[in-house]
């Protein structure tokens, strides 16, 4: 937060304090929030965003309308519980909601939530009545694959029809899962275990009962938090408000991501979705799980079946994690696939060193290529602040790997940053400097002006041929390094059509310290918001558009709908004045044309890469499906077709005629080939 913004908030809070504080409010029970508390927390959140968010957008009717829409979508992301007519009934608040929040008026949150609570009770009743009747799975009808992108139902009749199809799809998903499992056991000569299968209707009713209990028992501060979060997101895609309990759950959840299966999870549209695979964890090592996959259910080693749909992620994690060495079988939906696929993992404690930089020398047509795999820009901040010369940090580890490579006379170096989501900015700057001889690495634009982050040392650790391998999952600090080395013609960038596109700096602000100024010592939650934007030395932001490669390689991540551009209300791409700097290789563009031609020829002739491309095409066809059939035989036929194409690709992707599965990373190997070609040029 800038000094000016901090003082503005401070002065405003003191004025607000003088106007609202009285003796009765001075003592509050641990978790009891008064109307005055709600007003204060609401107004504090609005004021901090208004004065300190990088976008500097002001509270206009347009911004108010975003808050209005985001709140309804937060409660009803699949557009199932509010009709179009009901939304229109509340439009009297739409243009003024934002300014009301600035004055601490929060009642809208509870008014809409009460309607949502009553509507979900109606949904439960409707479900019970529907499941008591026979359901015909031979009718040819469809459900929209992404209902959240469709208009809300016009009236209650249309809403009930949507409910009917949604419940039918839930039943069908369970039936298909059991049918696929029975087919697999029959094929392998096994018998289906008696007593393990649950009545699908009971599974759905139990799930709805759990969701209903959560809706009914939600604390009022948590309900208010949903509206305040909608307000924060109206300012920027990475801005959010977390109510006190949510902040605590988030911290617990983040620590749990380092045990069990090694995946960071979130809730989206009623599903538990994978947002990150922890390097070295069972999920990442299996090679069978991807970012954006949804976990619909799981089976424990003892046969206990757990349905995860509509379950809060904090509760789902409790079932997913477990003792080291135990097994868990997940039912995974990828894209708009027709039926879940089972993935069995052995739980393990994730070795944090698995997330450290690794070096390996690979050969390509006689050239030695040093491959550095860097999962994140990590730094032991506490040790660095103590002045510990041996503090663990990415730049230090990479430097040691480079020295080993130089001792073994590598011909070129490849930086594999495909899964690197960022990390420490200072270490990203220091690591970039290992390949440059001074100059600007990144420009940081704040409300106070533009600051230049420069290479801290004029010395170059490695001055030979350099290739960077990126993907749509490469973000933040990774984009800073890639942008700097590309703008100076220091490296050839290969990979997906773009990187993630996260070009903003975030600040996490605890509201508790502001609350204490009012002599209030109850939790007030936390606020995260964008306070700055990164720009490459050439003046282009990495925000939204990411960084395009010099040579694009076919990959599975290319087909994923991930990146800043897919986030609602992301800040737009921008540019500022470039900073002058030395170009490392003035002939690089000519070399890239030669490298691309050689790469295209290799990929066309590579049997394994072509098999991999077939899998990519399958994923694309499933991803782009606009609707889902509710006819059981048609839906199962789609599932069988998907499975056959996948198995065909697996058969092609083998080592000779041995039948042994080939685990080649064809994308990495082609990047190595490009690095070898670059060394010869």
């Amino acid at each position: 937060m800038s000094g000016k913004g901090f003082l503005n908030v401070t002065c405003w809070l003191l004025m607000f304090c003088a106007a609202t504080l009285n003796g009765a409010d001075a003592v509050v029970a641990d978790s009891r929030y008064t109307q005055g508390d709600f007003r204060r927390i609401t107004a504090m959140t609005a004021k901090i965003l208004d004065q300190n968010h990088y976008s500097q957008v002001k509270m206009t009717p347009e911004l108010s309308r975003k808050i209005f829409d985001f709140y309804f979508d937060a409660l009803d992301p699949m557009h199932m519980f509010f009709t179009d007519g009901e939304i229109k009934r509340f439009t009297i608040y739409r243009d003024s909601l934002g300014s009301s929040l600035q004055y601490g008026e929060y009642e809208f949150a509870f008014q809409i939530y009460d309607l949502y609570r009553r509507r979900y009770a109606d949904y439960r009743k409707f479900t019970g009545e529907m499941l008591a009747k026979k359901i015909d799975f031979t009718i040819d009808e469809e459900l929209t694959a992404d209902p959240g992108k469709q208009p809300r139902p016009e009236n209650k009749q249309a809403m009930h029809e949507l409910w009917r199809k949604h419940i039918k799809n839930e039943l069908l998903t369970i039936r298909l899962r059991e049918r696929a499992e029975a087919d697999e056991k029959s094929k392998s000569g096994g018998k289906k275990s008696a007593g393990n299968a649950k009545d699908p209707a009971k599974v759905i009713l139990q799930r709805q009962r759990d969701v209903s209990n959560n809706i009914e028992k939600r604390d009022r501060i948590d309900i208010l938090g949903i509206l305040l979060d909608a307000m924060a997101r109206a300012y920027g895609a990475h801005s959010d408000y977390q109510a006190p309990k949510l902040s605590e759950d988030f911290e617990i959840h983040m620590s749990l991501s380092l045990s069990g299966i090694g995946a960071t999870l979130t809730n989206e549209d009623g599903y538990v979705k994978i947002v990150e695979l922890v390097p070295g964890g069972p999920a990442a090592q299996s090679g069978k799980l991807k970012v954006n996959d949804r976990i619909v259910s799981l089976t424990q080693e003892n046969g206990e079946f757990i349905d995860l749909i509509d379950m809060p992620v904090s509760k789902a994690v409790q079932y997913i994690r477990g003792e080291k060495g135990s097994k868990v079988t997940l039912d995974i939906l990828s894209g708009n696939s027709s039926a879940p696929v089972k993935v069995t993992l052995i739980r393990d404690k994730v070795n944090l060193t698995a997330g450290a930089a690794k070096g390996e020398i690979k050969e390509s047509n006689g050239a030695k290529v040093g491959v550095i795999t860097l999962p994140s820009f990590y730094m032991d901040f506490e040790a660095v602040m103590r002045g510990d010369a041996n503090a663990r940090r990415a730049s230090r580890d990479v430097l040691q790997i480079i020295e080993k490579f130089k001792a073994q006379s590598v011909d070129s170096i490849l930086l594999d940053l495909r899964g690197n989501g960022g990390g420490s900015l200072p270490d990203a700057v220091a690591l970039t400097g290992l390949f440059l001889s001074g100059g600007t690495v990144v420009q940081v634009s704040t409300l106070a002006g533009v600051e230049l982050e420069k290479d801290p040392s004029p010395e170059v650790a490695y001055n030979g041929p350099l290739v960077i391998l990126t993907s749509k999952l490469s973000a933040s600090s990774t984009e800073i390094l890639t942008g700097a080395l590309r703008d100076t013609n220091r490296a050839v960038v290969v990979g997906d059509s773009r990187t993630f596109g996260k070009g903003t700096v975030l600040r996490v602000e605890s509201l508790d310290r502001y609350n204490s100024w009012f002599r209030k010592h109850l939790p007030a939650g936390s606020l995260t918001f964008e306070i700055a934007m990164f720009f490459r030395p050439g003046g282009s932001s990495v925000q939204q558009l990411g960084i395009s490669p010099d040579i694009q390689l076919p990959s599975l991540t290319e087909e994923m709908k991930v990146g800043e551009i897919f986030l609602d209300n992301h800040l737009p791409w921008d540019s500022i004045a470039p900073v002058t700097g030395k170009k490392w290789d003035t002939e690089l563009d000519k070399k890239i044309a030669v490298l691309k031609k050689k790469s295209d020829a290799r990929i066309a002739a590579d049997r394994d890469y072509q098999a991999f491309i077939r899998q990519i095409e399958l994923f694309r066809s499933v991803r782009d499906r606009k609707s889902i059939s509710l006819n059981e035989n048609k839906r199962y036929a789609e599932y069988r077709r998907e499975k056959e194409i996948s198995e065909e690709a697996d058969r092609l992707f083998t080592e000779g005629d041995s039948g042994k599965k080939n685990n080649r990373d064809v994308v990495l190997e082609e990047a190595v080939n490009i690095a070898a070609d670059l060394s010869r040029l």
Side-chain angles (χ1 to χ4, degrees), residues 75-267:
L75 294 177
D76 182 22
M78 298 183 73
H79 292 186
M80 288 177 55
F81 299 114
F82 298 113
T83 67
D84 184 58
E86 286 169 332
I87 300 292
K88 288 176 179 176
R89 209 170 72 224
F90 288 104
T91 52
I92 57 172
Y93 302 104
R94 201 160 181 249
D95 288 354
S96 60
L97 176 60
S99 57
S100 296
L101 292 172
Q102 288 184 318
Y103 286 104
E105 297 171 7
Y106 59 86
E107 294 80 5
F108 181 81
F110 300 110
Q111 186 179 359
I112 304 304
Y113 190 86
D114 187 58
L115 174 59
Y116 168 64
R117 178 184 57 78
R118 288 184 277 114
R119 186 55 47 76
Y120 197 85
D122 294 341
Y123 179 57
R124 285 187 66 196
K125 181 181 177 183
F126 180 94
T127 303
E129 293 172 352
M130 177 177 167
L131 294 179
K133 303 172 185 176
K134 185 176 180 181
I135 298 174
D136 188 353
F137 291 100
T138 65
I139 300 173
D140 284 334
E141 56 181 352
E142 296 180 333
L143 177 69
T144 301
D146 192 354
K149 295 289 191 293
Q150 297 299 307
R152 295 186 184 276
E154 292 183 12
N155 49 43
K156 285 194 175 181
Q157 182 180 355
M159 182 172 63
H160 288 170
E161 175 63 7
L162 181 60
W163 288 359
R164 183 189 68 79
K165 287 187 174 183
H166 184 77
I167 295 163
K168 185 175 181 179
N169 181 59
E170 288 190 73
L171 274 172
L172 186 54
T173 299
I174 297 172
R175 288 165 65 98
L176 289 171
R177 180 174 59 216
E178 294 178 348
R179 186 170 171 179
E181 184 179 352
D183 279 359
E184 290 302 313
K185 289 194 174 183
S186 175
K187 188 186 295 184
S188 62
K191 294 183 179 180
K192 188 174 180 180
S193 303
N196 280 342
K198 283 191 175 183
D199 179 1
K202 289 183 178 179
V203 170
I204 292 172
L205 291 173
Q206 177 62 52
R207 176 195 303 156
Q208 290 190 4
R209 187 157 54 247
D210 292 342
V211 173
S212 179
N213 287 338
N214 182 58
I215 292 172
E216 296 288 342
K217 295 177 181 178
R218 185 172 276 154
D219 292 336
R220 286 172 66 81
I221 184 64
D222 295 329
I223 297 170
L224 174 62
I226 300 172
L227 178 58
L228 298 185
D229 183 61
M231 175 170 58
R233 290 193 298 111
Y235 280 84
H238 297 283
S239 296
D240 65 60
Y241 170 84
Q242 290 190 330
K245 186 174 182 301
L246 289 176
S247 296
E248 180 183 349
D249 284 348
F250 179 76
E251 291 173 9
I252 293 172
H253 164 60
M254 290 305 290
S255 65
L256 290 177
S257 72
L258 298 179
S259 63
I261 66 170
T264 303
L265 310 171
T266 190
N267 278 119

Side-chain angles (χ1 to χ4, degrees), residues 8-25:
N8 285 341
V9 173
T10 303
C11 294
W12 175 85
L13 286 173
L14 291 175
M15 288 189 288
F16 190 84
C17 177
T20 63
L21 189 63
N22 58 53
D25 288 332

Side-chain angles (χ1 to χ4, degrees), residues 427-439:
D427 215 55
V429 173
L431 200 153
T432 304
L434 299 178
F435 305 99
L436 294 175
S437 56

